[in-house]
Amino acid sequence: NAGVTQTPKFRVLKTGQSMTLLCAQDMNHEYMYWYRQDPGMGLRLIHYSVGEGTTAKGEVPDGYNVSRLKKQNFLLGLESAAPSQTSVYFCASRHRDRSFRDTEAFFGQGTRLTVV
Amino acid sequence: AQSVSQHNHHVILSEAASLELGCNYSYGGTVNLFWYVQYPGQHLQLLLKYFSGDPLVKGIKGFEAEFIKSKFSFNLRKPSVQWSDTAEYFCAALSRAGGFKTIFGAGTRLFVKA
């Protein structure tokens, strides 16, 4: 079972460069999320999507854009990378469960991004 | 704003010691609560979850957590830790009122001395 797959796993960017992180899930989940993880700050939500073609801002959306053209994919873009965006990025997905029971998130392996 | 607070950022224990990690949330109404674990260099994995019913929830690897609604708390416990429990632990919450977003605490780094 692949679950949630993130590519790439590591990347080094120069300030001002752009890149796209890809998240793919094979569990037919409706909801997908992008988080960044920084020491002492836990996981902070960047953007999320509740279905194909929809996106919404999370806690720290500035400097990032997202797209969800297909249900299984959720892309995170950095148009002009800054050193403050050095972080570990995690994608997650979960079911839209009407009974509010099976709502745990499944995470990818993470992308370690360094902006120099 | 909805938030999740974890009381301890770093905890150091010897093997066989008992563990309790504190977690408080600020949501009102119906809430789902989770504890995730992140082993060094790995992604987050679910330890246990609460959505309704018995407030004492048992998870994998001998962990358990107790939901105390009156205190808005969901503390994680383990009677006897092992060296392999060295990891970072995250409390998280999801509520109907909060929409579709799972909010995480800042995490607690646990180091277990062999």
Side-chain angles (χ1 to χ4, degrees):
Chain A
N1 292 339
V4 180
T5 304
Q6 290 181 232
T7 53
K9 290 186 171 50
F10 302 94
R11 185 73 185 268
V12 178
L13 286 180
K14 293 183 179 179
T15 298
Q17 285 185 316
S18 63
M19 78 164 293
T20 300
L21 282 67
L22 172 63
C23 177
Q25 53 95 3
D26 62 1
M27 296 174 282
N28 203 32
H29 285 168
E30 292 83 3
Y31 299 164
M32 296 187 75
Y33 306 84
W34 276 107
Y35 291 90
R36 58 177 291 172
Q37 183 181 26
D38 302 291
M41 305 187 77
L43 277 78
R44 292 181 292 168
L45 183 63
I46 304 171
H47 286 280
Y48 64 102
S49 168
V50 300
E52 183 178 323
T54 71
T55 63
K57 294 180 180 180
E59 303 169 78
V60 289
D62 294 342
Y64 305 95
N65 57 74
V66 287
S67 65
R68 183 123 181 248
L69 299 179
K70 294 182 180 180
K71 185 177 184 179
Q72 64 268 34
N73 296 336
F74 194 31
L75 279 62
L76 177 71
L78 286 72
E79 290 186 347
S80 180
S84 60
Q85 293 178 304
T86 293
S87 187
V88 180
Y89 292 85
F90 285 99
C91 176
S93 70
R94 69 174 180 88
H95 276 302
R96 177 186 66 203
D97 190 297
R98 292 183 176 83
S99 68
F100 211 51
R101 288 173 179 266
D102 296 324
T103 54
E104 67 265 31
F106 293 81
F107 284 83
Q109 295 283 352
T111 297
R112 185 172 294 275
L113 174 66
T114 303
V115 182
V116 298
Chain B
Q2 288 127 353
S3 64
V4 175
S5 300
Q6 292 184 237
H7 307 158
N8 313 96
H9 294 298
H10 293 92
V11 174
I12 301 173
L13 294 173
S14 297
E15 274 195 314
S18 64
L19 170 72
E20 181 160 1
L21 302 182
C23 173
N24 286 92
Y25 61 95
S26 66
Y27 294 77
T30 304
V31 64
N32 279 19
L33 296 162
F34 310 88
W35 276 97
Y36 287 86
V37 61
Q38 185 180 30
Y39 297 104
Q42 296 190 24
H43 65 290
L44 278 77
Q45 305 168 48
L46 183 70
L47 265 183
L48 48 80
K49 65 179 180 179
Y50 169 82
F51 58 90
S52 67
D54 189 343
L56 185 62
V57 179
K58 294 193 184 298
I60 61 171
K61 304 187 179 185
F63 286 91
E64 64 179 32
E66 185 175 11
F67 171 58
I68 303 179
K69 189 174 182 179
S70 61
K71 295 184 178 180
F72 294 88
S73 70
F74 189 56
N75 292 355
L76 181 71
R77 300 194 292 248
K78 186 170 183 178
S80 176
V81 295
Q82 300 173 312
W83 176 81
S84 58
D85 292 324
T86 294
E88 189 160 15
Y89 293 81
F90 293 93
C91 182
L94 170 68
S95 77
R96 293 184 190 273
F100 311 104
K101 300 171 286 186
T102 304
I103 301 299
F104 287 81
T108 298
R109 284 187 183 272
L110 171 65
F111 180 72
V112 180
K113 297 184 289 186

